[in-house]
Amino acid sequence: MGTILARISPPKFRPERDVPDLSGKIIMVTGGNTGIGYETVKQLLLKNAKVYLAARPPEKAAAAIKRLEQETKKSVIFLQLDLADLSSVRKAAEDFFYLRSRGSIFCSTTHLLTAQDHDLLKKKGSITNRGMLYGESKLGNILISNYFAKTHSDVLVSCSLHPGSMNTELTRHTENRLQAIANPFFYPAPMGAYTQLWGATVATPAQITGQYLVPWGKVGKVDKRASNTKLAEEVVAYIKDQIKDFWEEGRFV
C-alpha cells in the first residue's frame, strides 16, 4: 500500500530533480551500507559529492560500496565506525575531520542505544519491549540534536527527523506475523532518504536548525516529550559522563 500511495500522491520533493550539484562537498553518512543510509549515499554520489560511507562491518561496507560504484560510476570512501565503541568513534572522527574541509555535511542514518543505556532505561521502568526501546533511542536523538542546535549553532546546523515508515532491513527482527501485517503500509526504502536529503542539501540553516523534519522534506511538530527540559538535561549529563575520558577542553584525548 505504501508503494501504491507513493504513486497516487508522489512527494513534491524529488532528489534527482531538486538536489543541487554537490561538486566539492564532503559528506559522511553513517549506516551507509544498507537501507536509508545506502539510498542517501547513492543520491549524493549521483550529485557529485565526495562521500564517506561510515559503517561497522568492513565486509558489508565493501559489498555496499561495490554496488554503489556500479550503480553510480562514482567512488566511495569507507570509514570504519562502530557507534557502540567510543574508541572507534574517536578514531573515525579524527580521520574524517583531518581529511574534510570546512562546511562538510554529516548525515546520521543510525540510532544508538548501548547495553549500558538499556540497563539505565530498564531501571527507570521505561522499557517494556523492543519497540519502546527503539522509541526511547529516537527520543534521545531528538534531545541531543536540540542540545547541539542551542549550544553550537554558530558552527553547525543540527536537526532531527523522521524518515517515514520504510520497508528496510530494520524490520528483519520483527515477527513474521507482524511483518505481514505492516509491510503493505511501508514505503519503498529509497523514499526514506528524501527528508534527510532535503535537510542536508536544499533547506537553509534558518529553516531547520533545532527543528524536527518529517516526510517528505518539511518541518513538522515534535512529540511533547522532546520539550521536557529536565529530561534533556539528564540525557546530556549522562552522555557527557560517558565520553569524559575521550573529550577534554574541546578536543579528543
Side-chain angles (χ1 to χ4, degrees):
M1 186 176 294
T3 301
I4 295 174
L5 289 174
R7 291 176 178 173
I8 295 175
S9 181
K12 293 182 179 179
F13 173 76
R14 305 292 294 185
E16 63 275 9
R17 179 194 65 201
D18 299 325
V19 173
D21 178 70
L22 299 173
S23 296
K25 295 293 186 181
I26 301 175
I27 305 176
M28 177 168 70
V29 180
T30 66
N33 60 300
T34 187
I36 294 173
Y38 181 92
E39 300 297 338
T40 300
V41 172
K42 182 177 179 179
Q43 291 298 327
L44 294 171
L45 289 172
L46 290 172
K47 293 296 182 173
N48 303 312
K50 181 177 182 179
V51 182
Y52 286 80
L53 187 156
R56 180 179 58 189
E59 63 281 358
K60 290 186 177 180
I65 288 173
K66 182 178 180 180
R67 294 198 310 273
L68 284 164
E69 292 182 341
Q70 289 174 343
E71 293 171 358
T72 67
K73 310 304 180 186
K74 308 285 185 178
S75 297
V76 188
I77 304 168
F78 173 56
L79 187 66
Q80 188 159 14
L81 170 64
D82 182 354
L83 289 174
D85 180 354
L86 288 177
S87 296
S88 173
V89 173
R90 177 177 62 185
K91 186 176 187 309
E94 289 173 339
D95 291 345
F96 180 68
F97 281 97
Y98 175 76
L99 296 168
R100 67 90 168 110
S101 63
R102 187 174 180 83
S104 299
I105 300 171
F106 170 69
C107 297
S108 177
T109 62
T110 54
H111 73 283
L112 173 65
L113 209 64
T114 65
Q116 292 88 342
D117 299 328
H118 184 279
D119 291 341
L120 175 68
L121 291 169
K122 283 182 68 176
K123 289 177 182 178
K124 290 179 176 291
S126 58
I127 297 302
T128 58
N129 55 48
R130 184 181 289 119
M132 187 172 288
L133 178 62
Y134 179 79
E136 293 277 3
S137 75
K138 290 304 181 184
L139 175 58
N141 287 349
I142 297 170
L143 294 173
I144 293 303
S145 174
N146 290 347
Y147 168 77
F148 282 122
K150 291 177 181 178
T151 59
H152 295 76
S153 60
D154 57 327
V155 294
L156 60 82
V157 177
S158 178
C159 65
S160 54
L161 65 87
H162 181 5
S165 299
M166 298 295 137
N167 187 10
T168 68
E169 288 189 14
L170 188 63
T171 62
R172 66 187 181 278
H173 300 301
T174 306
E175 294 179 17
N176 292 337
R177 175 174 56 86
L178 295 178
Q179 277 196 37
I181 296 172
N183 279 346
F185 299 94
F186 288 160
Y187 287 88
M191 293 179 67
Y194 283 16
T195 300
Q196 179 162 262
L197 288 166
W198 176 79
T201 67
V202 177
T204 66
Q207 280 180 287
I208 64 173
T209 297
Q211 299 295 333
Y212 181 65
L213 311 184
V214 297
W216 309 101
K218 59 184 179 181
V219 176
K221 292 184 178 180
V222 72
D223 188 286
K224 63 181 180 181
R225 289 172 293 181
S227 301
N228 186 324
T229 303
K230 184 175 183 298
L231 178 60
E233 291 174 349
E234 290 179 356
V235 171
V236 170
Y238 172 73
I239 291 178
K240 285 184 175 180
D241 181 65
Q242 295 299 302
I243 66 171
K244 63 185 178 185
D245 295 330
F246 295 84
W247 185 261
E248 182 179 279
E249 297 180 355
R251 64 182 181 86
F252 285 111
V253 295

